[in-house]
Amino acid sequence: MAELVLKVGKERSVIDRHPWIYAQSVARINGRVGNGETVTVVDAKGKPLACAAVSLHSSIRARVWHFAPEKGVDDAFFGARIAAAVGWRRTFPTLAGQEGIRLVHGEADGLPGVIVDRYGEVLVMQLTFAGADRWREAIVAALRAEVPEAKALFERSDSEIRQREGLPPRRGVVWGALPAAVTIEEHGVRFLVDVEQGHKTGFYLDQRENRRLVQALAKGMRVLNAFCYTGGFTLHALRGGASEVWSIDSSSTALALLAENLALNEMTERRTVTVEGDVFRKLREWYQSGERFDLVILDPPKFAPSAAYAQKAKRAYYDVNLFGMRLVRPGGYLLTFSCSGGIGAGEFQEIVAAAAVANRRSGQIAARLTAGADHPIGLAAPEGEYLKGVLVRLD
Ligand code: SAH
């Protein structure tokens, strides 16, 4: 097997079990390797540390499969990792029996670049790393064996990350056939999931537990759901007995699915207002016209895809929270999120606090929120925590 030799002093993160090896930590690669091929990672003195796959086009030059370099990697390795990922989720309290669930969450499940989401009987796979792409067949076979009740596997390897990996986009049915409509039930609400064209693999599964919180909180409330996508928080607020829910998103396709979701749950005659538009502009408008809500939900897209965008992103988070907060009536709640990996939980909380100060409002953090257990965080790579939220009660 080819060897990836680390520069002097660059072995620390590998010894500490971090899965990423940056290009600037690599002294050289002994032997010829193709994109995604397996290498033994050795320190500057030649001591083997890990088994990894190289990514020739990415600044993350290699991602570690495991830290027992004598073992190598084969089909059975992928079988075992997928069995483990699927296995613990089948019995974990908040996950057992969920129809919409992430089965494999990349690095945190020991499978860099492998995402697998389950929507009822449909599995959706996304491979975003050259190493994972090389083992595609083994991964597909393992999924078939470990989730025998699935009726179809659909591939959504079409995220822009693949370009950086030098991989072409791939989208389509791998085996089985998609049903006419893919739906899931989540805490008593049924959702249509557009696995072929929707965001990510079709649905924001990471907000499942936070949507449940909204259902429990919303009774009698007038709710604004900003960046609503296909209506996740909207439908849960209605199920929880909200008196009225306003939803806004810039995507007409997402809003069309929201309308279908309302119909599917027989919620069409409930008090809902749906607006296609820009949240930043509409929040200002509604403030001027005197609209006020008991609960304002802000779940914007990733403003900072990486730390490099953090400054600009911070400004956007500040603005959206500044204007969103103004629509919360005294004694009401702001439920606000950031899914930017480049912004930490503490930093995000500071942004929300600064927006409150600028609005001359006091508040209390009633809950700190994150993704559900099916989106675990690797102990050795805590920066994998991307979703963070706070529920703030405002005076
Ligand atoms: N809360 C949702 C997920 C939100 S994803 C759920 O639980 O399912 C973020 C959404 O923000 C996307 O649907 C995207 O279309 C929308 N969006 C992005 N920028 C926007 C803007 N400036 N104004 C309105 N919507 C926007």
Side-chain angles (χ1 to χ4, degrees):
M1 207 189 295
E3 272 183 359
L4 180 151
V5 185
L6 295 169
K7 287 183 185 165
V8 177
K10 293 295 183 187
E11 67 284 356
R12 189 69 249 170
S13 74
V14 183
I15 291 168
D16 288 344
R17 301 192 148 244
H18 196 285
W20 292 357
I21 296 164
Y22 285 96
Q24 64 261 33
S25 302
V26 179
R28 62 184 182 282
I29 294 176
N30 292 333
R32 282 174 67 90
V33 287
N35 201 20
E37 268 181 38
T38 310
V39 291
T40 302
V41 179
V42 303
D43 70 11
K45 292 183 184 144
K47 183 180 176 210
L49 300 172
C51 188
V54 289
S55 182
L56 298 176
H57 306 282
S58 168
S59 59
I60 302 173
R61 186 50 40 87
R63 296 182 195 224
V64 173
W65 293 128
H66 60 69
F67 299 92
E70 68 287 356
K71 279 193 186 148
V73 183
D74 55 13
D75 288 5
F77 165 80
F78 289 92
R81 284 275 157 102
I82 285 172
V86 172
W88 73 265
R89 285 167 169 83
R90 284 199 195 272
T91 53
F92 194 84
T94 53
L95 304 178
Q98 286 296 340
E99 291 184 11
I101 180 175
R102 174 152 295 188
L103 293 180
V104 181
H105 187 51
E107 276 78 346
D109 278 300
L111 290 166
V114 183
I115 297 295
V116 182
D117 288 338
R118 175 177 182 168
Y119 300 110
E121 292 179 332
V122 175
L123 300 178
V124 185
M125 170 180 82
Q126 186 168 71
L127 305 177
T128 57
F129 163 51
D133 212 59
R134 280 237 161 205
W135 292 94
R136 181 171 175 272
E137 277 176 33
I139 293 164
V140 168
L143 288 170
R144 190 141 210 184
E146 295 305 325
V147 196
E149 65 275 30
K151 297 260 164 68
L153 174 64
F154 191 81
E155 182 165 13
R156 277 296 300 273
S157 298
D158 56 1
S159 115
E160 73 280 10
I161 310 170
R162 278 179 68 97
Q163 280 175 24
R164 275 184 266 148
E165 289 283 321
L167 301 168
R170 206 188 292 115
R171 181 198 318 223
V173 172
V174 181
W175 53 262
L178 286 183
V182 179
T183 68
I184 54 164
E185 201 206 84
E186 183 188 84
H187 309 312
V189 180
R190 189 150 282 281
F191 288 102
L192 280 157
V193 180
D194 182 0
V195 300
E196 293 181 72
Q197 306 283 341
H199 293 181
K200 308 223 262 187
T201 64
F203 202 64
Y204 287 85
L205 289 172
D206 52 0
Q207 291 282 25
R208 183 194 318 104
E209 292 307 307
N210 304 325
R211 285 190 285 260
R212 180 155 72 153
L213 173 66
V214 164
Q215 185 180 130
L217 183 70
K219 196 171 172 58
M221 289 186 174
R222 186 169 197 247
V223 179
L224 170 63
N225 180 13
F227 308 97
C228 64
Y229 188 49
T230 59
F233 286 111
T234 299
L235 276 100
H236 280 286
L238 289 169
R239 172 65 77 234
S243 61
E244 184 177 344
V245 184
W246 287 30
S247 308
I248 170 165
D249 201 282
S250 55
S251 158
S252 56
T253 18
L255 293 177
L257 215 49
L258 186 156
E260 286 191 58
N261 282 330
L262 287 171
L264 190 62
N265 291 276
E266 290 166 6
M267 289 173 170
T268 41
E269 66 273 60
R270 303 283 287 275
R271 307 230 292 154
T272 58
V273 175
T274 307
V275 178
E276 183 182 335
D278 173 46
V279 166
F280 290 87
R281 207 164 53 84
K282 285 289 175 187
L283 290 178
R284 287 174 173 87
E285 246 177 67
W286 290 332
Y287 177 66
Q288 295 297 337
S289 60
E291 296 297 344
R292 296 296 179 269
F293 298 87
D294 303 298
L295 169 62
V296 171
I297 302 163
L298 304 172
D299 186 21
K302 211 191 286 172
F303 290 142
S306 71
Y309 296 83
Q311 272 315 322
K312 223 179 126 200
K314 273 191 219 168
R315 181 74 216 187
Y317 285 116
Y318 177 79
D319 282 349
V320 80
N321 281 284
L322 183 76
F323 293 108
M325 208 177 274
R326 287 185 185 166
L327 300 183
V328 178
R329 66 150 182 82
Y333 293 90
L334 174 73
L335 175 61
T336 179
F337 295 96
S338 160
C339 60
S340 295
I343 290 182
E347 217 171 354
F348 181 60
Q349 192 179 307
E350 281 169 23
I351 292 169
V352 177
V357 169
N359 278 321
R360 299 164 181 244
R361 301 278 297 263
S362 297
Q364 304 152 295
I365 294 176
R368 284 204 181 98
L369 306 162
T370 181
D374 49 341
H375 297 62
I377 300 155
L379 201 51
E383 69 271 30
E385 176 176 21
Y386 65 100
L387 182 66
K388 65 255 357 166
V390 280
L391 176 66
V392 183
R393 216 200 117 267
L394 287 160
D395 293 341

